[in-house]
Amino acid sequence: MNLTKKTLTELSELFRSGEVSSREITDAFITEIEEKDSKINAFVTPTFDIAREMADASDARKKNNELLSPLDGMPIALKDVVCTTECRTTACSNILKNFQSPYDATVWKKLKSAGAVLLGKTNTDEFTMGASTQTSAFGVTRNPHDLERVAGGSSGGSAAAIAANFCAGAIGTETNGSIRHPSHFCGVTGLKVSYGRVSRWGTMPMASSLDVVGPIAKTAEDCALMLQEIAGHDEKDSTTPDVEVPNYIAEIQHSIRDMKIGIPRNFFEKGIDENMAQVIAAAEAQLRDMGAKIIDIELPHAEHAVAAYYIIAPGEISSNQARYDGIRFGECSKEKDDLAKIYTETRSEGFGDEVKRRILIGTFVLSSGYSDQYYRQAQRVRTLIKQDFDNAWENVDAILSPVSPTPAFKVGENLDDPLKMYLEDMFLAPSCLAGQCGISFPGGQTDSGLPIGVQIICPPMKEACALRIAHQMQKHQT
Amino acid sequence: MTSKISPDDVKHLAQLAKLKLSAEEATKFAPQLRDIVHFFEALKKVDTKNVVETSQTTGLENITREDAISRCKCEKSLIACSPHPVKKNQISIPNVL
């Protein structure tokens, strides 16, 4: 039995029924990582010894009938911006290359309380800034489907780890596509939760009004299992509303017959190639076949989302990154006698190009004389984008759209053209700015076999609806 | 500065953000920033008259907690995060003034 190819749901059932131990599952993944990750680079810090200990503890709980949750004994990976006391948390930046967090992020605390087993920390663009995992200080993550290509980003390590059968589930973060984009490139399922659905406490921030934490796994059902354990209010994160967490596994079992699915054709049709268009058409046909009603909708301001995002996010980045000054944590420059020099030299040596670029853009759009012209106008456009969604929700339950304009591109591409890289997010930015939730899952492939994802976007706090549509479609496909 | 971001402008921005850029870096970033800022210009055409600004999407406001004092059990490990010497359980840094 090849355990590593099984879904999280299947592994959980095998473990609970006593057919395999958590240690066997964990060892199977470790063997896979040891054999193959030197070529893929999904993990930046493996924690195999800790994983074996945690697996043994799960096996002991199983023996005593004390299992904590369906995730008990399941080996998972965390994007390396989620703080863990077990090992360093680096944000894949030189400025934090040896940072040891004194506490666990809420998301990890919850997963640990559910009995999950930590296999290690996964690669990301530096401080999650990128759409290809190429800006990581620890090297690019390669796409398991084609090693010449990128895994997407910024949660490229987590998505590649799922695609390469290195773990049963993974945690990613998304500010503007960073869960859905690599899921599309790697042919896996990734859920961008609504803003506020999952606590970010202890997860390193990029742009605080947009950042979310969410699951990446093989299927929507797997994502539902993970979300069940991590969703909910956290008094340590004041942006998490006290909204009831539904029973996701129960909710996703319902048929999607008569659901109304909107398609914003005018928004994406000109921006995608033939392969992508075919996959969207196939998804549309499948939804019709399953009894859903397709309705054409307009999102008239969505085309402005990338520009608005790249004003708002860098503004927030430039202030968030101010905390890295070489004093309280992280690396410090050799210069230790002059405070002003400590700040500038630590930051200049510690940050990579993309982080510097975004700090500079943020400083520019917030500087006096420009903030009204750029920053405040972007926030007004953000309102219009959100209103577009509010209007759409009066007529439809969910929206079908491509994830990004192309399938996985080659390693090295787009690196010298930041603006082109930013446009990777064009179908992802509107839902992020408006705080909606969305799921990216495999919809087909190119003629050469590269995965192509599709996404379903749903209103805030309606993850159950997005997961349900994706799960029913995945069930229908098999 | 908007339409023509020069390497000197980039250096000025860097100074405001406590970054030190080499001449090569400033020369590399200037046209990239110019392209990005030029891309922003499209937003100016959007009619936003009477549109309020959105800075967050949950609608939550003034979330507070009880002002209760609790003992931090991790003060030593927090201080240990600093790359600077520790004196009397405090981080020692060069004089500010």
Side-chain angles (χ1 to χ4, degrees), chain A residues 191-393:
Chain A
L191 176 71
K192 182 260 180 216
V193 302
S194 320
Y195 184 77
R197 180 73 288 188
V198 174
S199 168
R200 290 124 10 118
W201 192 77
T203 301
M204 290 169 186
M206 170 155 85
S208 303
S209 82
L210 296 149
D211 295 339
V212 301
V213 177
I216 301 178
K218 286 194 171 83
T219 65
E221 195 176 23
D222 292 355
C223 287
L225 269 187
M226 293 181 75
L227 183 62
Q228 199 69 54
E229 302 303 327
I230 61 174
H233 172 67
D234 178 10
E235 63 177 20
K236 287 177 174 155
D237 179 350
S238 60
T239 64
T240 52
D242 201 356
V243 174
E244 194 190 340
V245 177
N247 181 334
Y248 293 108
I249 290 296
E251 294 274 332
I252 66 172
Q253 308 306 330
H254 301 303
S255 145
I256 59 168
R257 178 161 294 281
D258 296 329
M259 275 185 100
K260 288 176 281 184
I261 314 285
I263 304 190
R265 294 181 209 279
N266 288 339
F267 171 46
F268 64 74
E269 262 180 356
K270 282 182 211 149
I272 54 174
D273 70 16
E274 205 176 313
N275 272 314
M276 312 293 285
Q278 281 167 358
V279 168
I280 289 294
E284 183 185 338
Q286 192 194 347
L287 285 164
R288 281 186 203 277
D289 192 37
M290 295 173 72
K293 292 190 168 64
I294 303 294
I295 298 171
D296 280 357
I297 59 161
E298 299 288 336
L299 297 173
H301 300 92
E303 62 175 309
H304 299 299
V306 175
Y309 173 83
Y310 277 97
I311 292 172
I312 292 168
E316 295 183 18
I317 288 165
S318 66
S319 43
N320 266 332
Q321 295 301 108
R323 77 191 67 195
Y324 303 104
D325 57 5
I327 303 294
R328 288 167 299 155
F329 37 68
E331 300 301 304
C332 180
S333 65
K334 281 190 192 122
E335 166 63 56
K336 291 239 170 32
D337 299 329
D338 179 313
L339 202 57
K341 280 188 183 163
I342 291 179
Y343 295 155
T344 45
E345 292 192 9
T346 297
R347 291 162 62 78
S348 306
E349 290 162 13
F351 291 143
D353 277 2
E354 184 58 25
V355 177
K356 287 179 185 168
R357 214 157 22 227
R358 293 195 192 192
I359 291 173
L360 294 171
I361 298 167
T363 306
F364 172 72
V365 298
L366 292 179
S367 56
S368 89
Y370 293 109
S371 64
D372 191 58
Q373 197 178 342
Y374 292 105
Y375 188 72
R376 300 184 66 186
Q377 174 69 353
Q379 287 196 313
R380 288 188 280 263
V381 172
R382 185 178 187 180
T383 303
L384 295 173
I385 291 167
K386 188 167 181 295
Q387 283 171 358
D388 284 353
F389 280 103
D390 292 343
N391 293 338
W393 301 136

Side-chain angles (χ1 to χ4, degrees), chain A residues 141-164:
Chain A
T141 293
R142 289 174 183 269
N143 193 313
H145 295 272
D146 179 349
L147 295 176
E148 296 300 307
R149 290 175 190 270
V150 300
S154 65
S155 310
S158 289
I162 296 295

Side-chain angles (χ1 to χ4, degrees), chain B residues 35-67:
Chain B
D35 282 356
I36 293 164
V37 172
H38 179 72
F39 178 67
F40 297 159
E41 298 295 311
L43 287 191
K44 289 188 185 159
K45 293 182 202 134
V46 183
D47 182 3
T48 56
K49 205 176 160 196
N50 301 324
V51 175
V52 294
E53 294 162 24
T54 292
S55 57
Q56 54 110 327
T57 52
T58 58
L60 296 174
E61 275 180 31
N62 299 333
I63 304 300
T64 57
R65 61 172 167 79
E66 204 183 329
D67 188 13

Side-chain angles (χ1 to χ4, degrees), chain A residues 36-299:
Chain A
K36 296 179 185 149
D37 199 37
S38 59
K39 287 188 180 135
I40 292 169
N41 197 28
F43 283 85
V44 292
T45 310
T47 53
F48 297 156
D49 290 343
I50 291 162
R52 291 189 182 101
E53 275 174 34
M54 295 181 99
D56 290 345
S58 285
D59 287 332
R61 285 194 292 273
K62 165 77 179 113
K63 215 171 152 188
N64 297 331
N65 283 323
E66 289 170 350
L67 287 182
L68 300 166
S69 83
L71 290 191
D72 203 336
M74 296 299 112
I76 59 138
L78 300 172
K79 184 175 181 175
D80 203 21
V81 288
V82 177
C83 284
T84 50
T85 48
E86 284 78 6
C87 66
R88 65 178 184 164
T89 304
T90 69
C92 294
S93 176
N94 280 321
I95 211 164
L96 289 177
K97 62 186 173 192
N98 298 306
F99 175 66
Q100 176 58 55
S101 171
Y103 53 81
D104 288 320
T106 297
V107 64
W108 173 228
K109 209 180 227 174
K110 284 189 164 191
L111 287 167
K112 209 163 22 175
S113 306
V117 169
L118 181 66
L119 276 172
K121 310 290 283 289
T122 53
N123 204 3
T124 163
D125 282 289
E126 183 178 2
F127 283 105
T128 77
M129 298 178 202
S132 65
T133 320
Q134 293 184 102
T135 72
S136 164
F138 304 130
V140 63
T141 293
R142 289 174 183 269
N143 193 313
H145 295 272
D146 179 349
L147 295 176
E148 296 300 307
R149 290 175 190 270
V150 300
S154 65
S155 310
S158 289
I162 296 295
N165 302 315
F166 289 164
C167 56
I171 291 294
T173 66
E174 173 161 334
T175 308
N176 194 35
S178 284
I179 285 175
R180 288 173 288 174
H181 183 271
S183 297
H184 152 59
F185 274 20
C186 290
V188 300
T189 305
L191 176 71
K192 182 260 180 216
V193 302
S194 320
Y195 184 77
R197 180 73 288 188
V198 174
S199 168
R200 290 124 10 118
W201 192 77
T203 301
M204 290 169 186
M206 170 155 85
S208 303
S209 82
L210 296 149
D211 295 339
V212 301
V213 177
I216 301 178
K218 286 194 171 83
T219 65
E221 195 176 23
D222 292 355
C223 287
L225 269 187
M226 293 181 75
L227 183 62
Q228 199 69 54
E229 302 303 327
I230 61 174
H233 172 67
D234 178 10
E235 63 177 20
K236 287 177 174 155
D237 179 350
S238 60
T239 64
T240 52
D242 201 356
V243 174
E244 194 190 340
V245 177
N247 181 334
Y248 293 108
I249 290 296
E251 294 274 332
I252 66 172
Q253 308 306 330
H254 301 303
S255 145
I256 59 168
R257 178 161 294 281
D258 296 329
M259 275 185 100
K260 288 176 281 184
I261 314 285
I263 304 190
R265 294 181 209 279
N266 288 339
F267 171 46
F268 64 74
E269 262 180 356
K270 282 182 211 149
I272 54 174
D273 70 16
E274 205 176 313
N275 272 314
M276 312 293 285
Q278 281 167 358
V279 168
I280 289 294
E284 183 185 338
Q286 192 194 347
L287 285 164
R288 281 186 203 277
D289 192 37
M290 295 173 72
K293 292 190 168 64
I294 303 294
I295 298 171
D296 280 357
I297 59 161
E298 299 288 336
L299 297 173

